[in-house]
Amino acid sequence: MKDMGPINYCLGIEFKCTKTKIQMCQKKYIEDLLEKYKMTNCRTVTTPVEVGLKLDKRPSDAEEPQVPYRSLIGSLMYLAVATRPDIAFAVNSLSQFNESYGTEHWKAAKRVLRYLNGTLEYGLVFKKTEEPIQGFCDADWGNCGTDRRSYSGYFFRFGGAAITWEARKQRTVALSSVEAEYMALAEAAREATYLKNFLRNIGYQTDSINVKCDSQGAKMLAENPVHHARSKHIDIKHHFVRQALEDGVLNISYLPTSEMPADVLTKGLPREKHNFCRDGLGVF
């Protein structure tokens, strides 16, 4: 290894460092994408996903459109995991149809490009704050029209912006909204355990990580050690959150849905709520 001085550009990510903040963005990467897919002068939109959009697999008797759908989704995925958590839900939901996409899926994928064209210079902005590391998690029960599985989303914020996040469809069908939220909490608990150990290894001591969710029922279920009739069917792996609570890795607090920034990781939102969540992620 050798010291090459202050970082400016690495793996398609631009770093802008000042005395007060660090911004990570991928403006050049997005511009290249727009040029590749002939969307440089496209009309912009204010959200990456249309509210209430439900996509299904292409009918077996329908012809596959001759478009570079898989290539575009792969390119968008790097953005979603590197510096743009605000498109993570859109990319995750579209990636399900890599083997069964149609015209509607292609239009939805191009909408993400339209959104990126209007937010070219946006990226994660880190700054010095007194705020400790904290997590936010959410779930959207039965959101997938194909198999009725729910979507989970969580992120952890430190230094004013998200340092880790996930938007994905749950592996099993939840029988209630409380169960879906509880499963999302379990995913966040696993990430909180990793983060606490990682931060300790680099010399940053932290108390229990506060994870906020917008379901009082899921919070009560996690804190209640009694396996009553409403939870005995839940896969044992999801009860990891209870162990994390007992070990002091995290604590859970309630945050109303209207104030939950993790909403953007589980569903398409109207412009005002999307912008609120994007600010919560630290993407400016």
Side-chain angles (χ1 to χ4, degrees):
M1 296 177 65
K2 63 179 179 179
D3 185 356
M4 300 177 67
I7 189 169
N8 293 307
Y9 191 85
C10 181
L11 300 175
I13 303 174
E14 300 169 49
F15 295 83
K16 300 177 181 178
C17 306
T18 68
K19 291 182 178 180
T20 58
K21 66 180 182 180
I22 299 172
Q23 183 186 30
M24 297 169 58
C25 69
Q26 291 174 277
K27 179 182 177 182
K28 180 65 168 57
Y29 182 88
I30 297 173
E31 288 175 337
D32 291 342
L33 268 186
L34 293 170
E35 184 177 350
K36 178 179 179 180
Y37 294 100
K38 298 179 173 57
M39 298 282 287
T40 303
N41 298 314
C42 67
R43 177 176 57 86
T44 62
V45 292
T46 55
T47 61
V49 184
E50 186 179 345
V51 177
L53 178 67
K54 299 290 184 182
L55 295 173
D56 292 316
K57 293 182 178 180
R58 184 186 73 251
S60 57
D61 58 346
E63 187 176 340
E64 182 180 293
Q66 299 303 304
V67 293
Y69 183 81
R70 298 183 188 90
S71 174
L72 174 55
I73 297 303
S75 298
L76 291 174
M77 195 166 289
Y78 181 54
L79 272 173
V81 301
T83 63
R84 296 299 298 267
D86 52 326
I87 66 168
F89 169 73
V91 176
N92 179 270
S93 58
L94 290 170
S95 66
Q96 300 174 66
F97 305 101
N98 278 343
E99 301 302 325
S100 58
Y101 59 86
T103 304
E104 291 303 310
H105 305 88
W106 179 242
K107 288 181 180 178
K110 289 202 296 184
R111 180 186 175 90
V112 181
L113 286 178
R114 296 181 189 277
Y115 170 73
L116 291 171
N117 195 26
T119 56
L120 271 175
E121 298 187 359
Y122 282 44
L124 294 168
V125 179
F126 297 94
K127 53 192 175 183
K128 187 176 182 179
T129 68
E130 300 299 324
E131 183 182 83
I133 183 172
Q134 58 181 322
F136 303 84
C137 76
D138 188 39
D140 192 23
W141 180 42
N143 188 27
C144 181
T146 303
D147 53 22
R148 305 308 297 171
R149 284 190 279 169
S150 308
Y151 276 91
S152 291
Y154 69 76
F155 75 92
F156 287 82
R157 188 170 63 198
F158 192 45
I163 57 172
T164 181
W165 58 88
E166 182 179 71
R168 65 181 302 165
K169 189 159 64 171
Q170 293 179 355
R171 293 180 174 87
T172 55
V173 176
L175 300 183
S176 67
S177 60
V178 169
E179 184 178 338
E181 296 277 0
Y182 185 68
M183 289 160 67
L185 261 177
E187 293 294 330
R190 280 192 280 270
E191 187 68 10
T193 302
Y194 160 74
L195 284 174
K196 187 169 183 179
N197 290 334
F198 174 76
L199 290 171
R200 184 178 65 237
N201 288 338
I202 62 174
Y204 182 88
Q205 298 300 322
T206 180
D207 297 325
S208 297
I209 297 176
N210 187 29
V211 177
K212 300 182 180 181
C213 74
D214 59 1
S215 171
Q216 294 275 27
K219 179 177 180 293
M220 293 170 63
L221 186 59
E223 294 172 343
N224 182 4
V226 179
H227 289 251
H228 48 70
R230 293 171 55 188
S231 64
K232 64 182 182 182
H233 65 281
I234 299 176
D235 194 322
I236 192 169
K237 67 181 180 182
H238 299 304
H239 295 303
F240 174 80
V241 63
R242 290 178 178 168
Q243 185 65 48
L245 280 170
E246 291 177 8
D247 294 343
V249 173
L250 77 158
N251 59 71
I252 302 170
S253 60
Y254 174 73
L255 188 68
T257 301
S258 60
E259 301 174 22
M260 173 54 69
D263 261 1
V264 75
L265 299 173
T266 62
K267 62 182 77 69
L269 299 171
R271 181 182 62 185
E272 292 78 10
K273 183 62 185 293
H274 176 81
N275 290 344
F276 168 80
C277 293
R278 188 175 62 197
D279 291 346
L281 287 164
V283 178
F284 302 98

